[in-house]
Amino acid sequence: MTLSIRNLTVAIGERRLLANISLAVAAGELVAVIGPNGAGKTSLIHAAVGDLPAQQGQVAFAGRALADWPGRERACGMALLPQFSTLGFPFTVREVVLLGRGPHRSGAKVDGRIADAACDATDIEHLRTRRYTHLSGGEKQRVQLARVLAQIWRAEDAPDRLLLLDEPVAALDIGHQQVVMGQVRRFADQGVAVVMVQHDISLAARYADRLLALREGQAVAEGEPSAVVTQQTMHRLFDTDTRVIPHPDTGTPVVLHG
């Protein structure tokens, strides 16, 4: 397994963020983490990359505990897009995307081609010479996604690749949501393990292979979208009545609420 989380418990002081969570994600698999605000979704993503220490349990990347990985070597195969990315320097968009190639030693020409390809993939090629600080929120989000994609773009850079995304489409319009989710899905299809926090349940169900539902730091359900996205589970997660219907084109579950 590219990512293995076993019996993970995370706490800050007396506050427990995650309790006994287990998750295994294989190469080529996209897992979406869903749940209400404060459920522990972001905590799980940051524990998976080692930013939050485990009170108990273990996180392993490519069969090795996170602590056993040298920082640069781990960064060659593991990339994180946080929920909020702050950058106040007036770098150009292309320069920001090139930051993702920092852990590698592939040379300026190769890195430049990868950065340009990542820009194309996230529909920001027309912004490459613009100052990052002059962009809209949605444009900045796509630049940051291009940066983390560039970080693990090539299979030859690392034998195992893991992409961790915390609400990657939160600031995007409908068109760019489809662009980004399609590119994330293609990354998974190319052998990258992907774990993504997603608030839009219908969007998560359309693109993910599996869903992990959290509430109050505990796992409520895990499995294929059709098994997790049910009216009963939605009520348990969000304390509200919903209706779940199949998408007319894909058959994946769609959540309706009034």
Side-chain angles (χ1 to χ4, degrees):
M1 288 291 170
T2 301
L3 175 66
S4 176
I5 298 174
R6 296 182 181 178
N7 304 317
L8 180 68
T9 296
V10 174
I12 297 179
E14 297 296 320
R15 184 182 174 214
R16 189 178 64 180
L17 304 178
L18 297 169
N20 199 35
I21 300 295
S22 294
L23 177 67
V25 187
E29 190 174 24
L30 195 166
V31 175
V33 184
I34 64 171
N37 295 335
K41 303 183 299 296
T42 293
S43 297
L44 180 61
I45 289 286
H46 284 276
V49 79
D51 289 342
L52 281 177
Q55 190 176 40
Q56 70 177 44
Q58 185 183 54
V59 179
F61 171 52
R64 295 163 58 187
L66 287 182
D68 295 339
W69 282 90
R72 191 194 71 81
E73 187 178 348
R74 184 174 68 180
C76 287
M78 179 187 293
L80 165 68
L81 177 68
Q83 188 173 349
F84 302 105
S85 300
T86 58
L87 179 63
F89 294 100
F91 293 148
T92 67
V93 164
R94 192 172 187 269
E95 287 171 336
V96 174
V97 177
L98 277 169
L99 292 175
R101 298 301 300 169
H104 302 281
R105 296 167 180 167
S106 41
K109 289 184 179 180
V110 170
D111 290 347
R113 288 197 295 268
I114 290 173
D116 290 339
C119 288
D120 291 342
T122 52
D123 193 30
I124 58 169
E125 69 282 351
H126 59 294
L127 302 174
R128 277 180 284 206
T129 60
R130 290 270 303 276
R131 296 295 177 185
Y132 177 82
T133 50
H134 295 172
L135 303 180
S136 70
E139 290 169 336
K140 288 179 178 178
Q141 182 77 347
R142 302 202 318 273
V143 173
Q144 293 294 340
L145 177 62
R147 175 183 59 80
V148 298
L149 293 181
Q151 184 176 339
I152 57 170
W153 189 266
R154 303 193 309 172
E156 55 262 49
D157 286 333
D160 295 274
R161 293 180 291 164
L162 173 64
L163 181 62
L164 300 161
L165 305 170
D166 194 354
E167 298 188 40
V169 300
L172 304 186
D173 58 54
I174 294 174
H176 284 113
Q177 285 183 6
Q178 291 186 342
V179 169
V180 166
M181 291 303 302
Q183 185 58 49
V184 171
R185 181 67 257 180
R186 282 188 288 274
F187 240 57
D189 292 340
Q190 293 167 11
V192 178
V194 181
V195 181
M196 170 185 63
V197 171
Q198 180 59 266
H199 272 294
D200 188 324
I201 309 298
S202 303
L203 199 63
R206 179 173 181 178
Y207 287 95
D209 299 300
R210 284 189 292 129
L211 303 182
L212 171 63
L214 300 181
R215 182 185 170 104
E216 296 180 348
Q218 297 181 313
V220 170
E222 181 187 354
E224 295 182 358
S226 59
V228 174
V229 184
T230 65
Q231 290 177 213
Q232 293 81 4
T233 301
M234 294 301 101
H235 188 274
R236 186 178 177 187
L237 287 175
F238 301 104
D239 292 324
T240 189
D241 292 327
T242 62
R243 185 181 177 194
V244 178
I245 63 172
H247 190 283
D249 296 326
T250 65
T252 55
V254 174
V255 179
L256 304 178
H257 53 88

